[in-house]
């Protein structure tokens, strides 16, 4: 499975595949394929004329729901509207490109006009098009208000070129007249839909707008390269070797990973406001900031205190927890480890120019012979740190800090959780929010 | 001969069986009612990026027209605004102290603006230029201090900078194309971060050495967003290939894919709820999909934006998330 995935990635790399557009084009192609259950494309009789090659919006919505496994009609309409907005399918009687779930008629866009061809039509092209439209005396081809405004603006902008534009328009009209009537109807509508994408109705989303970070690569789509068989064989062998290397690496079993992720979410689910409603209320929903006021106060809630017991990181992360932890250790005259850890954290937050001074200060207070708050490092770490101090930097005490962290976790932190100070905080709130019977059962359990 | 995996190896360990199978025993989530609780209007063009302040209510947002705005999103009041000298401000970040913001984009730089409440002072006057890249700035983030900034750029590199001096502390080379996003590991002691790029790779870096520790390449297109799972043991990614994926650092592999046949537009930004159970993802089809991280199913689809969702972040206490869009607005959802 991994192997096929990499072959596909390789193809992407060679520029053969370009994600989103390819997927839409595939959907559109399938939709038009009557052999494989596409939408029914019909010619509809209307008064004295025929409307060639149309489908209804309802048919498109139904097809999307069936073929893309969409349960919700609203979702299918939304997706269909986006496909229309991109210009792959369009309403024959509207400039606004959106999909309606009813009998409104739509036509498929010609692949020639698809966005994947990287069209970047110029204003002169648009001017020629609008000019051409005014030459065609058909009611259905009359310019909309915004189009008339656009034309007026273009006439002013291209005043000097206008004769050339006019000539181009005339030439196009001449060619168009030679085409079959039905064919012209279809082509005219497709050309109009093309401009509805590239010069949208004011107020509509312009779907040709691009993310500037992706623009550069769009302009240089990589050509498909022909690759020799021997290259493919080497490529496959390389990937097998790589796969084996991955297997050999000391990795945690998938089942253990899944269990670990599940355990974490289960532990924190009561703190997740999206799953367990926040108490007293979610400020965004109730418009009452009480929750935040409570959190700002120095009195931690029982739920907050409970969280400190999950891991030492939780105590260190919470300023109130950190303060409680420090106070407890100070009461036991064993706070030097935590203070060292905090000092090193602080060192890493300093601007570069202050680093050397801080390194020296930390050395003097915690590590120098006869230091006031001497911490207990094993000789190896001490040696290494002494060396590091000679070239002071933000990571001078990294190894020492790691060692002290592990020590605190197994010693200081464990003692803190067992301490009266912590237990009182943990149970104090329970006394308030829980009835006497409940309290009895909690204490004995 | 061909180095084939040994027969005695438990094939199960290599196959792509995901978290979902193990999570079958986990209780399903109930119905969610998530609505837009605030709409922030004020940008004159596409909103490209946003970040939360640690106070859980203020945010900074940046847009295509060069405007960077600081809002108290609870009241929807604009508190500060500055116009950058360039367009497409694709990156912005709030300093941990709440006293400064950083931003950048097509100017190839990351600049820091101290936030002042003095009405007479012009915010732009105190601007400090910190990072210099050779292509657009795509992402920036303060480390756990106001003094260092981590940046990602279209020049294919990430970099760590000292804010005071503007000095480059460490650079990170390895991506084969534009780097589009980054996220710092949530650990108190960690010195790592993850980045995603147009080379379809997600890479985990050691900030100290500048080395790439781990690399993941399973997406079929650009990775627009990466975000750590709250425990720091995994991270999620959103890509132009219309999927989001979960990668576990200990298993050193992809462990889940979040996709649907009907989702065909790229995912632009992702973030987890506080417990990691939900993954919120903003897409280029104007919607936000909410995924059950463990079960792999979609829990909810949120409509509302009228153009691409370009940025999405959950608030620091997880009570809401904010989405920014090309429709010029930001929305707070809860």
């Amino acid at each position: 499975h991994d192997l096929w995935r990499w072959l596909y990635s390789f193809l992407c790399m060679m520029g053969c595949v370009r994600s989103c557009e390819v997927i839409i084009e595939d959907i559109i192609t399938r939709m038009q394929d009557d052999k494989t259950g596409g939408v029914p494309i019909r010619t509809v009789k209307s008064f004295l004329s025929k409307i060639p090659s149309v489908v209804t919006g309802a048919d498109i919505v139904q097809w999307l729901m069936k073929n893309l496994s969409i349960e919700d009609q609203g979702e299918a309409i939304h997706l269909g509207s986006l496909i229309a907005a991109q210009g792959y399918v369009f309403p024959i009687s509207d400039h606004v490109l959106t999909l309606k779930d009813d009998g409104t008629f739509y036509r498929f866009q010609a692949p020639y006009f698809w966005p994947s061809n990287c069209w970047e039509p110029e204003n002169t092209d648009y001017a020629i098009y609008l000019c051409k439209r005014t030459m065609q005396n058909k009611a259905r081809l009359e310019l909309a208000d915004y189009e008339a405004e656009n034309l007026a603006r273009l006439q002013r902008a291209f005043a000097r070129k206008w004769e050339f534009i006019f000539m181009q328009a005339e030439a196009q009209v001449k060619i168009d007249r030679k085409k079959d009537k039905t064919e012209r109807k279809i082509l005219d509508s497709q050309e109009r839909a093309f401009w509805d994408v590239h010069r949208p109705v004011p107020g509509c989303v312009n779907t040709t707008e691009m993310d500037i970070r992706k623009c550069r690569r769009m302009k240089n789509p990589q050509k498909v390269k022909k690759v020799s068989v021997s290259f493919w064989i080497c490529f496959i062998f390389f990937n097998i070797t790589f796969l084996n290397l991955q297997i050999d690496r000391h990795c945690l079993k998938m089942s253990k990973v899944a269990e670990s992720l599940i355990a974490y979410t289960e532990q924190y689910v009561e703190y997740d406001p999206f799953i367990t409603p926040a108490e007293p209320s979610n400020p965004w929903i109730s418009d009452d900031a009480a929750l935040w006021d409570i959190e700002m106060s120095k009195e931690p809630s029982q739920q907050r205190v409970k969280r400190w017991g999950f891991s030492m990181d939780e105590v260190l992360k919470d300023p109130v927890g950190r303060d409680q932890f420090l106070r407890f250790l100070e009461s036991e005259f064993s706070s030097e480890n935590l203070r060292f850890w905090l000092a090193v954290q602080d060192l890493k937050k300093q601007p570069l120019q202050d680093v050397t001074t801080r390194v020296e200060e930390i050395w003097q207070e915690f590590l120098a012979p006869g230091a006031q708050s001497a911490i207990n490092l094993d000789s190896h770490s001490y040696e290494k740190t002494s060396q590091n101090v000679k070239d002071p930097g933000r990571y001078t005490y990294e190894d020492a800090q790691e060692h002290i962290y592990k020590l605190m976790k197994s010693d200081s932190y464990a003692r803190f959780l067992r301490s009266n100070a912590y237990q009182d905080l943990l149970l104090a709130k329970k006394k308030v929010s829980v009835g006497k019977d409940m309290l009895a059962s909690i204490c004995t359990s | 001969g061909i180095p084939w995996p040994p027969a005695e190896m438990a094939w199960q360990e290599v196959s792509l069986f995901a978290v979902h199978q193990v999570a079958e025993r986990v209780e399903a989530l109930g119905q969610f009612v998530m609505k837009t609780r605030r709409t922030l209007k004020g940008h004159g063009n596409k909103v490209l990026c946003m970040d939360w302040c640690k106070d859980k209510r203020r945010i900074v947002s940046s847009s295509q027209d060069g405007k960077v705005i600081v809002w108290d999103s609870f009241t929807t009041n604009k508190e500060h605004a500055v116009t950058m000298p360039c367009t497409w401000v694709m990156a912005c970040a709030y300093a941990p102290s709440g006293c400064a913001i950083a931003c950048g984009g097509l100017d190839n730089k990351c600049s820091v603006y101290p936030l002042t409440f003095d009405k007479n002072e012009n915010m732009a006057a105190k601007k400090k230029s910190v990072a210099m890249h050779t292509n657009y700035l795509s992402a920036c983030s303060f480390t756990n201090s106001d003094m260092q900034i981590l940046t990602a750029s279209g020049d294919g590199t990430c970099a760590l900078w000292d804010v005071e001096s503007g000095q480059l502390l460490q650079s990170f080379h390895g991506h084969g194309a534009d780097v589009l996003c980054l996220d710092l590991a949530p650990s108190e002691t960690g010195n790592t971060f993850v980045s995603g790029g147009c080379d379809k790779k997600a890479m985990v870096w050691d900030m100290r050495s500048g080395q790439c520790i781990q690399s993941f390449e399973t997406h079929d297109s650009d990775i627009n967003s990466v975000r750590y799972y709250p425990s720091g043991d995994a991270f999620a990614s959103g890509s132009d290939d219309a999927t989001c994926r979960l990668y576990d650092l200990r298993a050193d592999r992809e462990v889940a894919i979040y996709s649907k046949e009907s989702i065909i537009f790229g995912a632009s930004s992702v973030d987890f709820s506080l417990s990691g159970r939900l993954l919120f993802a903003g897409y280029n089809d104007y919607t936000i999909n909410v995924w059950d991280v463990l079960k792999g199913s979609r829990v909810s689809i949120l409509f509302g934006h009228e153009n691409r969702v370009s940025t999405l972040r959950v608030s620091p206490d997880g009570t809401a998330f904010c989405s920014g869009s090309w429709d010029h607005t930001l929305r707070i959802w809860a």
Side-chain angles (χ1 to χ4, degrees):
Chain A
H1 196 284
D2 272 328
L3 195 54
W4 289 118
R5 172 174 306 288
W6 277 329
L7 281 173
Y8 182 64
S9 296
F10 180 74
L11 285 172
C12 288
M13 215 169 45
M14 301 296 274
C16 300
V17 187
R18 268 200 285 124
S19 301
C20 179
E21 274 141 358
V22 171
I23 298 170
I24 299 183
E25 283 168 17
D26 177 61
I27 289 172
I28 285 288
T29 307
R30 277 159 57 200
M31 228 193 268
Q32 293 175 73
D33 189 351
D34 39 65
K35 286 186 215 120
T36 57
V39 286
I41 306 174
R42 297 184 290 256
T43 298
V44 172
K45 288 207 178 108
S46 150
F47 303 122
L48 298 164
S49 64
K50 290 190 216 151
I51 308 176
S53 187
V54 288
V55 301
T56 63
D59 282 341
I60 295 176
V61 173
Q62 214 179 8
W63 188 95
L64 287 172
M65 286 181 75
K66 181 166 170 220
N67 290 275
L68 295 182
S69 315
I70 301 176
E71 290 122 24
D72 179 49
Q73 196 169 32
E75 217 185 303
I77 295 171
H78 179 85
L79 178 60
S81 287
L82 274 168
I83 293 176
Q86 304 265 316
Y88 290 95
V89 72
F90 58 90
I92 60 169
S93 315
D94 203 338
H95 283 289
V96 177
L97 301 170
T98 187
L99 186 73
K100 294 201 188 116
D101 184 25
D102 56 20
T104 311
F105 290 128
Y106 292 82
R107 192 168 283 144
F108 289 100
Q109 181 56 288
Y112 175 72
F113 283 129
W114 281 356
S116 53
N117 292 331
C118 293
W119 285 102
E120 270 172 44
E122 308 272 326
N123 277 329
T124 41
D125 300 315
Y126 188 44
I128 293 167
Y129 166 71
L130 287 176
C131 200
K132 178 172 79 167
R133 286 268 302 276
T134 62
M135 294 172 181
Q136 293 161 324
N137 282 327
K138 301 249 154 91
R140 64 175 164 83
L141 297 173
E142 243 172 42
L143 293 184
D145 288 342
Y146 77 95
E147 285 178 309
E149 277 171 41
N150 287 346
L151 181 59
R153 218 177 326 116
L154 288 165
Q155 273 171 329
R156 286 195 296 276
F158 294 134
R160 274 187 248 146
K161 279 209 249 191
W162 202 255
E163 203 181 313
F164 167 76
I165 288 169
F166 193 84
M167 271 168 45
Q168 291 289 307
E170 266 188 332
Q172 283 191 19
V173 169
K174 215 168 165 183
I175 296 169
D176 285 348
R177 279 209 191 103
K178 293 186 184 150
K179 291 189 192 134
D180 166 69
K181 199 171 144 191
T182 307
E183 206 188 308
R184 258 177 70 192
K185 253 191 203 169
I186 296 173
L187 285 170
D188 280 350
S189 69
Q190 286 172 334
E191 193 184 10
R192 193 200 67 193
F194 172 82
W195 288 109
D196 287 341
V197 169
H198 290 271
R199 298 289 185 276
V201 177
C204 288
V205 172
N206 184 340
T207 58
T208 65
E209 279 187 320
M210 287 214 289
D211 185 334
I212 204 165
R213 304 170 301 175
K214 324 266 174 158
C215 273
R216 230 184 319 139
R217 283 163 315 118
M218 290 296 181
K219 293 195 191 202
N220 303 304
Q222 282 156 315
K223 299 277 193 296
V224 177
K225 295 175 188 136
K226 285 216 161 76
V227 177
S228 68
V229 174
S230 54
F231 179 88
W232 279 115
I233 293 171
C234 290
F235 179 74
I236 290 167
F237 279 3
F238 169 77
N239 279 317
I240 291 171
T241 316
F242 185 78
L243 264 170
N244 280 329
L245 279 173
Q246 230 198 354
I247 293 164
D248 288 341
R249 242 192 284 207
H250 183 61
C251 308
L252 201 57
K253 261 170 89 157
M254 270 297 297
S255 49
K256 280 219 161 69
V257 157
E259 289 296 342
S260 154
L261 292 172
I262 292 169
Y264 185 91
T265 62
E266 285 184 336
Q267 187 176 48
Y268 283 87
V269 77
E270 70 176 278
Y271 297 89
D272 189 336
F274 276 101
I275 303 175
T276 310
E279 303 264 324
S281 70
N282 185 321
W284 301 101
I285 300 175
S286 65
D287 287 340
D288 179 8
L291 175 73
W292 292 331
D293 294 332
I294 292 169
E295 275 168 14
M296 287 293 282
S297 74
K298 282 285 178 174
E299 292 299 314
S301 71
Q302 179 254 335
Q303 206 192 25
R304 187 172 172 183
V305 174
K306 180 173 150 190
R307 200 169 159 170
W308 302 343
F310 292 171
S311 70
M312 193 166 70
D313 267 14
E314 287 290 347
V315 170
L316 295 172
K317 221 171 31 172
D318 185 344
V320 176
R322 207 160 54 222
D323 182 60
Q324 289 294 312
F325 190 22
L326 188 62
R327 277 206 261 164
F328 162 71
L329 292 175
E330 277 169 354
S331 72
E332 289 197 336
F333 304 101
S334 61
S335 65
E336 64 282 352
N337 284 346
L338 179 56
R339 283 189 293 111
F340 170 72
W341 188 88
L342 291 170
V344 177
Q345 287 295 89
D346 184 68
L347 165 67
K348 287 188 275 189
K349 296 181 189 182
Q350 296 303 312
L352 205 55
Q353 61 191 27
D354 296 342
V355 164
T356 308
T357 322
R358 282 298 291 146
V359 166
E360 183 57 33
E361 283 169 7
I362 292 173
W363 177 260
Q364 288 305 324
E365 186 172 351
F366 298 99
L367 290 157
Q372 203 179 23
S373 314
I375 57 167
N376 209 344
L377 276 186
D378 62 289
S379 53
H380 176 75
S381 301
Y382 192 87
E383 259 309 303
K384 199 150 180 247
T385 307
S386 319
Q387 288 303 313
N388 289 349
V389 170
K390 292 179 185 158
D391 183 17
R394 277 157 53 246
Y395 295 112
T396 296
Y397 296 112
E398 209 58 12
D399 294 326
Q401 194 193 29
E402 222 177 282
H403 179 89
I404 292 295
Y405 182 86
K406 288 191 189 130
L407 204 62
M408 282 200 296
K409 209 163 150 180
S410 58
D411 181 38
S412 321
Y413 177 60
R415 283 206 321 274
F416 172 62
L417 293 184
R418 289 195 300 265
S419 73
N420 289 332
Y422 177 74
Q423 289 297 322
D424 284 349
L425 274 175
L426 189 61
L427 295 172
K429 292 297 171 179
K430 268 187 181 171
K431 273 188 198 157
V432 173
S433 60
V434 168
K436 274 200 183 140
D437 323 302
M438 274 280 266
L439 179 63
S441 60
I442 289 166
C443 285
T444 52
S445 65
Chain B
I2 307 167
W4 204 256
E8 65 269 19
M9 230 213 51
W11 196 245
Q12 236 196 355
E13 300 307 309
V14 182
S15 72
L16 263 192
F17 108 91
V19 176
H20 317 320
Q21 267 103 319
V22 179
E24 255 163 37
R25 64 162 177 79
V26 177
E27 219 180 283
L29 294 165
Q31 278 299 313
F32 284 92
V33 178
M34 280 175 225
K35 289 196 228 170
T36 300
R37 305 291 174 172
R38 301 285 191 279
T39 304
L40 305 176
K41 297 187 184 171
H43 277 292
N45 212 316
K46 306 177 179 67
V47 176
L48 303 175
C49 188
M50 64 79 46
D51 191 20
W52 288 90
C53 174
K54 283 218 160 94
D55 74 358
K56 306 155 196 166
R57 49 193 286 173
R58 282 174 175 76
I59 64 168
V60 60
S61 60
S62 62
S63 74
Q64 184 194 345
D65 63 1
K67 273 246 164 45
V68 178
I69 302 177
V70 174
W71 317 70
D72 174 352
S73 57
F74 194 61
T75 59
T76 73
N77 288 338
K78 298 183 203 40
E79 294 189 339
H80 305 267
V82 72
T83 306
M84 292 280 283
C86 68
T87 57
W88 288 89
V89 185
M90 300 174 247
C92 64
Y94 224 117
S97 69
C99 299
I101 54 152
C103 52
L106 281 188
D107 57 352
N108 299 358
K109 296 191 215 156
C110 184
S111 308
V112 174
Y113 291 87
L115 294 176
T116 169
F117 282 93
D118 183 348
K119 300 274 172 180
N120 298 318
E121 232 183 271
N122 177 14
M123 218 170 113
K126 290 261 164 92
K127 169 181 171 177
K128 184 186 283 187
S129 220
V130 174
M132 290 272 278
H133 279 279
T134 55
N135 210 322
Y136 64 84
L137 188 83
S138 54
C140 65
S141 172
F142 285 88
T143 60
N144 54 13
S145 126
D146 283 21
M147 292 299 132
Q148 282 110 38
I149 287 192
L150 193 58
T151 58
S153 167
D155 67 12
T157 70
C158 296
L160 181 68
W161 310 82
D162 179 72
V163 173
E164 286 272 297
S165 62
Q167 196 173 321
L168 173 69
L169 296 170
Q170 185 64 256
S171 67
F172 306 89
H173 297 259
H175 275 287
D178 308 20
V179 187
L180 298 178
C181 51
L182 62 81
D183 190 35
L184 277 149
S187 160
E188 285 305 292
T189 53
N191 291 312
T192 60
F193 71 95
V194 62
S195 65
C198 292
D199 58 356
K200 309 180 197 122
K201 283 202 267 190
M203 302 178 81
V204 181
W205 307 85
D206 179 315
M207 287 211 287
R208 229 176 116 179
S209 63
Q211 294 301 308
C212 170
I213 310 171
Q214 282 170 286
S215 174
F216 304 86
E217 194 172 351
T218 63
H219 271 294
D220 301 323
S221 189
D222 301 357
I223 296 178
N224 298 313
S225 174
V226 284
R227 197 73 70 211
Y228 271 93
Y229 184 77
S231 72
D233 293 321
F235 68 90
S237 59
S239 162
D240 274 351
D241 68 7
T243 71
C244 296
R245 293 169 201 242
L246 186 68
Y247 297 91
D248 189 282
L249 298 174
R250 300 154 299 178
D252 194 30
R253 60 179 302 134
E254 175 193 296
V255 298
I257 304 183
Y258 307 98
S259 68
K260 255 179 165 291
E261 241 186 304
S262 54
I263 300 176
I264 60 180
F265 287 82
S268 63
S269 49
V270 301
D271 203 354
F272 286 98
S273 70
L274 193 140
S275 66
R277 183 65 194 268
L278 299 173
L279 180 71
F280 303 105
Y283 290 77
N284 291 339
D285 65 0
Y286 319 173
T287 68
I288 294 162
N289 288 295
V290 184
W291 298 93
D292 180 329
V293 171
L294 300 179
K295 292 196 178 285
S297 54
R298 183 181 64 190
V299 157
S300 197
I301 178 169
L302 304 173
F303 297 98
H305 278 297
E306 292 165 12
N307 205 326
R308 294 193 197 191
V309 177
S310 52
T311 180
L312 188 156
R313 300 287 305 250
V314 172
S315 73
D317 65 350
T319 49
F321 69 87
C322 178
S323 60
S325 163
W326 279 20
D327 69 5
H328 309 186
T329 71
L330 295 124
R331 285 170 180 247
I332 311 282
W333 305 78

